[in-house]
mmCIF file of all heavy atoms in Angstrom:
data_model
loop_
_atom_site.group_PDB
_atom_site.id
_atom_site.type_symbol
_atom_site.label_atom_id
_atom_site.label_comp_id
_atom_site.label_asym_id
_atom_site.label_seq_id
_atom_site.Cartn_x
_atom_site.Cartn_y
_atom_site.Cartn_z
ATOM 1 N N VAL A 1 324.671 35.760 177.224
ATOM 2 C CA VAL A 1 325.053 36.764 176.224
ATOM 3 C C VAL A 1 326.146 36.226 175.301
ATOM 4 O O VAL A 1 326.043 36.303 174.066
ATOM 5 C CB VAL A 1 325.523 38.067 176.910
ATOM 6 C CG1 VAL A 1 326.081 39.052 175.869
ATOM 7 C CG2 VAL A 1 324.375 38.709 177.675
ATOM 8 N N LEU A 2 327.199 35.665 175.906
ATOM 9 C CA LEU A 2 328.353 35.232 175.121
ATOM 10 C C LEU A 2 328.064 34.006 174.264
ATOM 11 O O LEU A 2 328.627 33.860 173.178
ATOM 12 C CB LEU A 2 329.542 34.945 176.046
ATOM 13 C CG LEU A 2 330.140 36.146 176.783
ATOM 14 C CD1 LEU A 2 331.315 35.719 177.639
ATOM 15 C CD2 LEU A 2 330.579 37.218 175.778
ATOM 16 N N ILE A 3 327.174 33.121 174.731
ATOM 17 C CA ILE A 3 326.923 31.896 173.972
ATOM 18 C C ILE A 3 326.241 32.211 172.641
ATOM 19 O O ILE A 3 326.461 31.519 171.641
ATOM 20 C CB ILE A 3 326.075 30.892 174.795
ATOM 21 C CG1 ILE A 3 326.173 29.481 174.183
ATOM 22 C CG2 ILE A 3 324.622 31.331 174.882
ATOM 23 C CD1 ILE A 3 327.562 28.910 174.157
ATOM 24 N N THR A 4 325.429 33.252 172.604
ATOM 25 C CA THR A 4 324.789 33.650 171.349
ATOM 26 C C THR A 4 325.827 34.176 170.365
ATOM 27 O O THR A 4 325.788 33.865 169.172
ATOM 28 C CB THR A 4 323.717 34.715 171.607
ATOM 29 O OG1 THR A 4 322.709 34.165 172.464
ATOM 30 C CG2 THR A 4 323.071 35.162 170.307
ATOM 31 N N LYS A 5 326.769 34.987 170.871
ATOM 32 C CA LYS A 5 327.838 35.500 170.019
ATOM 33 C C LYS A 5 328.674 34.348 169.470
ATOM 34 O O LYS A 5 329.060 34.342 168.290
ATOM 35 C CB LYS A 5 328.730 36.471 170.803
ATOM 36 C CG LYS A 5 328.007 37.734 171.262
ATOM 37 C CD LYS A 5 328.948 38.680 171.966
ATOM 38 C CE LYS A 5 328.215 39.935 172.438
ATOM 39 N NZ LYS A 5 327.677 40.719 171.295
ATOM 40 N N TRP A 6 328.947 33.355 170.328
ATOM 41 C CA TRP A 6 329.720 32.194 169.863
ATOM 42 C C TRP A 6 328.932 31.392 168.844
ATOM 43 O O TRP A 6 329.494 30.938 167.836
ATOM 44 C CB TRP A 6 330.101 31.290 171.035
ATOM 45 C CG TRP A 6 330.794 30.048 170.563
ATOM 46 C CD1 TRP A 6 332.120 29.916 170.237
ATOM 47 C CD2 TRP A 6 330.197 28.767 170.317
ATOM 48 N NE1 TRP A 6 332.384 28.641 169.809
ATOM 49 C CE2 TRP A 6 331.219 27.910 169.845
ATOM 50 C CE3 TRP A 6 328.908 28.267 170.454
ATOM 51 C CZ2 TRP A 6 330.989 26.577 169.508
ATOM 52 C CZ3 TRP A 6 328.668 26.942 170.120
ATOM 53 C CH2 TRP A 6 329.692 26.115 169.649
ATOM 54 N N ARG A 7 327.639 31.185 169.075
ATOM 55 C CA ARG A 7 326.794 30.435 168.133
ATOM 56 C C ARG A 7 326.891 31.052 166.735
ATOM 57 O O ARG A 7 327.094 30.348 165.750
ATOM 58 C CB ARG A 7 325.333 30.463 168.593
ATOM 59 C CG ARG A 7 324.893 29.345 169.503
ATOM 60 C CD ARG A 7 323.397 29.457 169.706
ATOM 61 N NE ARG A 7 322.886 28.557 170.716
ATOM 62 C CZ ARG A 7 322.396 27.340 170.480
ATOM 63 N NH1 ARG A 7 322.396 26.884 169.241
ATOM 64 N NH2 ARG A 7 321.931 26.588 171.459
ATOM 65 N N ILE A 8 326.723 32.361 166.678
ATOM 66 C CA ILE A 8 326.726 33.042 165.380
ATOM 67 C C ILE A 8 328.077 32.876 164.694
ATOM 68 O O ILE A 8 328.142 32.551 163.497
ATOM 69 C CB ILE A 8 326.377 34.532 165.564
ATOM 70 C CG1 ILE A 8 324.919 34.665 166.017
ATOM 71 C CG2 ILE A 8 326.614 35.313 164.275
ATOM 72 C CD1 ILE A 8 324.514 36.075 166.391
ATOM 73 N N TRP A 9 329.167 33.076 165.452
ATOM 74 C CA TRP A 9 330.505 32.924 164.861
ATOM 75 C C TRP A 9 330.747 31.485 164.416
ATOM 76 O O TRP A 9 331.204 31.233 163.300
ATOM 77 C CB TRP A 9 331.579 33.340 165.871
ATOM 78 C CG TRP A 9 332.960 33.034 165.361
ATOM 79 C CD1 TRP A 9 333.727 33.812 164.538
ATOM 80 C CD2 TRP A 9 333.712 31.840 165.607
ATOM 81 N NE1 TRP A 9 334.910 33.180 164.251
ATOM 82 C CE2 TRP A 9 334.926 31.958 164.895
ATOM 83 C CE3 TRP A 9 333.476 30.686 166.351
ATOM 84 C CZ2 TRP A 9 335.904 30.978 164.924
ATOM 85 C CZ3 TRP A 9 334.446 29.694 166.357
ATOM 86 C CH2 TRP A 9 335.653 29.841 165.653
ATOM 87 N N ALA A 10 330.452 30.525 165.310
ATOM 88 C CA ALA A 10 330.767 29.129 165.041
ATOM 89 C C ALA A 10 329.956 28.563 163.878
ATOM 90 O O ALA A 10 330.507 27.948 162.959
ATOM 91 C CB ALA A 10 330.537 28.289 166.302
ATOM 92 N N PHE A 11 328.644 28.775 163.891
ATOM 93 C CA PHE A 11 327.809 28.195 162.840
ATOM 94 C C PHE A 11 327.963 28.940 161.510
ATOM 95 O O PHE A 11 327.567 28.426 160.469
ATOM 96 C CB PHE A 11 326.348 28.171 163.280
ATOM 97 C CG PHE A 11 326.075 27.131 164.330
ATOM 98 C CD1 PHE A 11 325.933 27.479 165.668
ATOM 99 C CD2 PHE A 11 325.996 25.801 163.987
ATOM 100 C CE1 PHE A 11 325.708 26.506 166.638
ATOM 101 C CE2 PHE A 11 325.764 24.819 164.945
ATOM 102 C CZ PHE A 11 325.626 25.176 166.274
ATOM 103 N N THR A 12 328.564 30.113 161.550
ATOM 104 C CA THR A 12 328.891 30.816 160.314
ATOM 105 C C THR A 12 330.161 30.252 159.685
ATOM 106 O O THR A 12 330.261 30.110 158.460
ATOM 107 C CB THR A 12 329.080 32.328 160.579
ATOM 108 O OG1 THR A 12 327.859 32.878 161.062
ATOM 109 C CG2 THR A 12 329.485 33.065 159.307
ATOM 110 N N ASN A 13 331.137 29.898 160.513
ATOM 111 C CA ASN A 13 332.467 29.544 160.029
ATOM 112 C C ASN A 13 332.764 28.056 159.945
ATOM 113 O O ASN A 13 333.808 27.672 159.408
ATOM 114 C CB ASN A 13 333.521 30.217 160.918
ATOM 115 C CG ASN A 13 333.552 31.717 160.738
ATOM 116 O OD1 ASN A 13 334.073 32.219 159.753
ATOM 117 N ND2 ASN A 13 332.962 32.445 161.685
ATOM 118 N N VAL A 14 331.901 27.216 160.477
ATOM 119 C CA VAL A 14 332.133 25.766 160.442
ATOM 120 C C VAL A 14 331.209 25.127 159.414
ATOM 121 O O VAL A 14 330.007 25.415 159.384
ATOM 122 C CB VAL A 14 331.906 25.138 161.833
ATOM 123 C CG1 VAL A 14 332.011 23.621 161.769
ATOM 124 C CG2 VAL A 14 332.928 25.687 162.821
ATOM 125 N N ARG A 15 331.750 24.266 158.577
ATOM 126 C CA ARG A 15 330.960 23.602 157.529
ATOM 127 C C ARG A 15 330.043 22.536 158.108
ATOM 128 O O ARG A 15 328.851 22.480 157.803
ATOM 129 C CB ARG A 15 331.904 22.974 156.484
ATOM 130 C CG ARG A 15 331.260 21.983 155.528
ATOM 131 C CD ARG A 15 330.134 22.610 154.710
ATOM 132 N NE ARG A 15 329.560 21.680 153.756
ATOM 133 C CZ ARG A 15 328.657 20.764 154.035
ATOM 134 N NH1 ARG A 15 328.206 20.640 155.287
ATOM 135 N NH2 ARG A 15 328.181 19.968 153.097
ATOM 136 N N ASN A 16 330.583 21.667 158.975
ATOM 137 C CA ASN A 16 329.811 20.540 159.509
ATOM 138 C C ASN A 16 329.025 20.972 160.749
ATOM 139 O O ASN A 16 329.426 20.718 161.897
ATOM 140 C CB ASN A 16 330.736 19.365 159.845
ATOM 141 C CG ASN A 16 331.263 18.685 158.591
ATOM 142 O OD1 ASN A 16 330.826 18.966 157.475
ATOM 143 N ND2 ASN A 16 332.203 17.779 158.764
ATOM 144 N N VAL A 17 327.892 21.624 160.505
ATOM 145 C CA VAL A 17 327.124 22.202 161.613
ATOM 146 C C VAL A 17 326.456 21.139 162.476
ATOM 147 O O VAL A 17 326.238 21.346 163.676
ATOM 148 C CB VAL A 17 326.073 23.201 161.093
ATOM 149 C CG1 VAL A 17 326.749 24.431 160.519
ATOM 150 C CG2 VAL A 17 325.152 22.566 160.051
ATOM 151 N N HIS A 18 326.112 19.992 161.892
ATOM 152 C CA HIS A 18 325.495 18.921 162.686
ATOM 153 C C HIS A 18 326.487 18.396 163.724
ATOM 154 O O HIS A 18 326.145 18.238 164.903
ATOM 155 C CB HIS A 18 325.028 17.783 161.771
ATOM 156 C CG HIS A 18 323.952 18.168 160.815
ATOM 157 N ND1 HIS A 18 322.629 18.229 161.174
ATOM 158 C CD2 HIS A 18 324.007 18.534 159.506
ATOM 159 C CE1 HIS A 18 321.899 18.606 160.133
ATOM 160 N NE2 HIS A 18 322.716 18.797 159.109
ATOM 161 N N ALA A 19 327.718 18.140 163.276
ATOM 162 C CA ALA A 19 328.759 17.654 164.188
ATOM 163 C C ALA A 19 329.101 18.715 165.219
ATOM 164 O O ALA A 19 329.349 18.404 166.391
ATOM 165 C CB ALA A 19 330.007 17.265 163.395
ATOM 166 N N LEU A 20 329.113 19.967 164.802
ATOM 167 C CA LEU A 20 329.415 21.066 165.723
ATOM 168 C C LEU A 20 328.377 21.145 166.838
ATOM 169 O O LEU A 20 328.724 21.293 168.016
ATOM 170 C CB LEU A 20 329.456 22.390 164.958
ATOM 171 C CG LEU A 20 329.612 23.656 165.808
ATOM 172 C CD1 LEU A 20 330.928 23.633 166.570
ATOM 173 C CD2 LEU A 20 329.524 24.903 164.933
ATOM 174 N N LYS A 21 327.117 21.034 166.474
ATOM 175 C CA LYS A 21 326.057 21.129 167.471
ATOM 176 C C LYS A 21 326.125 19.971 168.465
ATOM 177 O O LYS A 21 325.997 20.169 169.682
ATOM 178 C CB LYS A 21 324.695 21.138 166.783
ATOM 179 C CG LYS A 21 323.531 21.432 167.719
ATOM 180 C CD LYS A 21 322.247 21.613 166.941
ATOM 181 C CE LYS A 21 321.091 22.005 167.844
ATOM 182 N NZ LYS A 21 319.847 22.236 167.088
ATOM 183 N N LYS A 22 326.356 18.755 167.964
ATOM 184 C CA LYS A 22 326.476 17.594 168.848
ATOM 185 C C LYS A 22 327.639 17.772 169.819
ATOM 186 O O LYS A 22 327.520 17.493 171.012
ATOM 187 C CB LYS A 22 326.684 16.325 168.018
ATOM 188 C CG LYS A 22 325.450 15.829 167.295
ATOM 189 C CD LYS A 22 325.772 14.552 166.522
ATOM 190 C CE LYS A 22 324.554 14.050 165.762
ATOM 191 N NZ LYS A 22 324.875 12.826 164.979
ATOM 192 N N GLU A 23 328.773 18.236 169.283
ATOM 193 C CA GLU A 23 329.961 18.385 170.116
ATOM 194 C C GLU A 23 329.790 19.512 171.121
ATOM 195 O O GLU A 23 330.284 19.419 172.249
ATOM 196 C CB GLU A 23 331.185 18.643 169.230
ATOM 197 C CG GLU A 23 332.512 18.557 169.950
ATOM 198 C CD GLU A 23 332.768 17.189 170.559
ATOM 199 O OE1 GLU A 23 332.274 16.175 170.000
ATOM 200 O OE2 GLU A 23 333.443 17.127 171.600
ATOM 201 N N ALA A 24 329.093 20.573 170.737
ATOM 202 C CA ALA A 24 328.855 21.690 171.655
ATOM 203 C C ALA A 24 327.980 21.254 172.827
ATOM 204 O O ALA A 24 328.208 21.653 173.976
ATOM 205 C CB ALA A 24 328.202 22.851 170.907
ATOM 206 N N ILE A 25 326.982 20.423 172.555
ATOM 207 C CA ILE A 25 326.125 19.890 173.622
ATOM 208 C C ILE A 25 326.922 18.944 174.499
ATOM 209 O O ILE A 25 326.848 18.986 175.725
ATOM 210 C CB ILE A 25 324.896 19.180 173.020
ATOM 211 C CG1 ILE A 25 323.993 20.188 172.307
ATOM 212 C CG2 ILE A 25 324.118 18.442 174.110
ATOM 213 C CD1 ILE A 25 322.852 19.561 171.536
ATOM 214 N N ARG A 26 327.718 18.090 173.861
ATOM 215 C CA ARG A 26 328.536 17.115 174.587
ATOM 216 C C ARG A 26 329.562 17.816 175.475
ATOM 217 O O ARG A 26 329.874 17.343 176.571
ATOM 218 C CB ARG A 26 329.233 16.204 173.573
ATOM 219 C CG ARG A 26 329.891 14.973 174.162
ATOM 220 C CD ARG A 26 330.508 14.160 173.043
ATOM 221 N NE ARG A 26 329.509 13.658 172.132
ATOM 222 C CZ ARG A 26 329.730 13.347 170.858
ATOM 223 N NH1 ARG A 26 330.929 13.500 170.346
ATOM 224 N NH2 ARG A 26 328.770 12.870 170.100
ATOM 225 N N SER A 27 330.081 18.962 175.006
ATOM 226 C CA SER A 27 331.082 19.720 175.761
ATOM 227 C C SER A 27 330.440 20.670 176.765
ATOM 228 O O SER A 27 331.142 21.453 177.413
ATOM 229 C CB SER A 27 331.966 20.518 174.795
ATOM 230 O OG SER A 27 332.621 19.668 173.877
ATOM 231 N N MET A 28 329.104 20.649 176.849
ATOM 232 C CA MET A 28 328.344 21.469 177.792
ATOM 233 C C MET A 28 328.524 22.968 177.534
ATOM 234 O O MET A 28 328.487 23.782 178.449
ATOM 235 C CB MET A 28 328.719 21.116 179.232
ATOM 236 C CG MET A 28 328.397 19.672 179.596
ATOM 237 S SD MET A 28 328.911 19.199 181.254
ATOM 238 C CE MET A 28 327.816 20.241 182.243
ATOM 239 N N LEU A 29 328.704 23.314 176.245
ATOM 240 C CA LEU A 29 328.709 24.720 175.854
ATOM 241 C C LEU A 29 327.281 25.215 175.693
ATOM 242 O O LEU A 29 326.950 26.330 176.100
ATOM 243 C CB LEU A 29 329.472 24.895 174.533
ATOM 244 C CG LEU A 29 330.944 25.294 174.603
ATOM 245 C CD1 LEU A 29 331.546 25.320 173.205
ATOM 246 C CD2 LEU A 29 331.119 26.633 175.283
ATOM 247 N N ILE A 30 326.452 24.393 175.052
ATOM 248 C CA ILE A 30 325.041 24.742 174.835
ATOM 249 C C ILE A 30 324.174 23.604 175.356
ATOM 250 O O ILE A 30 324.658 22.513 175.651
ATOM 251 C CB ILE A 30 324.739 24.999 173.349
ATOM 252 C CG1 ILE A 30 324.986 23.723 172.522
ATOM 253 C CG2 ILE A 30 325.574 26.157 172.817
ATOM 254 C CD1 ILE A 30 324.599 23.866 171.058
ATOM 255 N N TRP A 31 322.866 23.884 175.438
ATOM 256 C CA TRP A 31 321.905 22.883 175.897
ATOM 257 C C TRP A 31 321.122 22.345 174.707
ATOM 258 O O TRP A 31 321.138 22.911 173.622
ATOM 259 C CB TRP A 31 320.936 23.494 176.912
ATOM 260 C CG TRP A 31 321.612 23.955 178.163
ATOM 261 C CD1 TRP A 31 322.146 25.184 178.397
ATOM 262 C CD2 TRP A 31 321.839 23.191 179.355
ATOM 263 N NE1 TRP A 31 322.688 25.246 179.662
ATOM 264 C CE2 TRP A 31 322.518 24.030 180.263
ATOM 265 C CE3 TRP A 31 321.535 21.880 179.736
ATOM 266 C CZ2 TRP A 31 322.893 23.606 181.537
ATOM 267 C CZ3 TRP A 31 321.907 21.464 181.012
ATOM 268 C CH2 TRP A 31 322.570 22.316 181.891
#
């Protein structure tokens, strides 16, 4: 539930979405 809320907030507010996605996977936030 919470990861979807974070996805929406993060990808809305961060410019470099490619780097964000890589780092989120690397940090084991998302798969």
Side-chain angles (χ1 to χ4, degrees):
V1 173
L2 294 181
I3 197 61
T4 299
K5 296 183 181 296
W6 175 82
R7 270 187 189 267
I8 292 173
W9 173 85
F11 287 103
T12 298
N13 291 284
V14 174
R15 166 60 177 81
N16 288 351
V17 292
H18 296 279
L20 174 62
K21 188 172 184 178
K22 286 181 181 178
E23 191 61 30
I25 294 173
R26 192 179 296 155
S27 301
M28 298 177 66
L29 264 176
I30 63 175
W31 296 89

